[in-house]
Amino acid sequence: MPKKSFNAKVAPAALGPYSHATLAGGFAFLSGQLGLVPSTNLLAEGGVEAETRQALENIKTILAELGSSPMDVVKATVFLTDMKDFAAMNAVYATTFPSECPARSAVQVAALPKGAVVEIEVIAAVGPAAK
């Protein structure tokens, strides 16, 4: 199955040798998104809620450039540096996925790039698979 790398024009620049997404088999496998503000490449201020909101906005931006949306997300993985932030993250997350929620995992990790407290990655249907 052929694959294709994709980089969005407006999302925060990658922090290493990876693309925003890899397209394969009718799906977009998005790299984890931190709560980085695209114009500054700095973390959104305001803790886990602000970082979660910005990470989800970055995901929406990438999906939109692919002709997709949060409604097409089939799987999400949330990485938190402190599971005590789960409820606050979940409240913000629910605003992006209010119904027909994708499958999801949430795990605690020791650290994230740039000192972030949350990172979110998703898999979404794109193209004909999204319909």
Side-chain angles (χ1 to χ4, degrees):
M1 162 182 5
K3 67 175 187 164
K4 180 180 177 187
S5 294
F6 174 82
N7 283 301
K9 294 179 179 95
V10 184
L15 300 176
Y18 60 88
S19 58
H20 287 133
T22 298
L23 306 172
F27 291 91
F29 299 82
L30 272 64
S31 295
Q33 293 297 304
L34 302 174
L36 294 173
V37 177
S39 61
T40 64
N41 223 32
L42 298 174
L43 290 170
E45 294 183 15
V48 68
E49 293 96 341
E51 287 187 38
T52 300
R53 191 171 296 106
Q54 186 62 55
L56 291 166
E57 286 302 315
N58 295 340
I59 288 168
K60 289 179 195 175
T61 295
I62 296 166
L63 291 173
E65 286 193 39
L66 288 167
S68 192
S69 77
M71 292 303 298
D72 300 313
V73 173
V74 296
K75 174 70 168 87
T77 305
V78 178
F79 304 92
L80 293 164
T81 57
D82 190 337
M83 202 52 82
K84 291 177 185 169
D85 288 333
F86 181 83
M89 173 281 299
N90 208 42
V92 176
Y93 180 94
T95 65
T96 297
F97 302 105
S99 64
E100 294 293 321
C101 302
R104 184 182 82 183
S105 302
V107 296
Q108 181 171 317
V109 297
L112 291 168
K114 290 199 155 215
V117 296
V118 64
E119 180 174 0
I120 304 171
E121 66 179 27
V122 301
I123 300 169
V126 293
K131 304 303 177 227

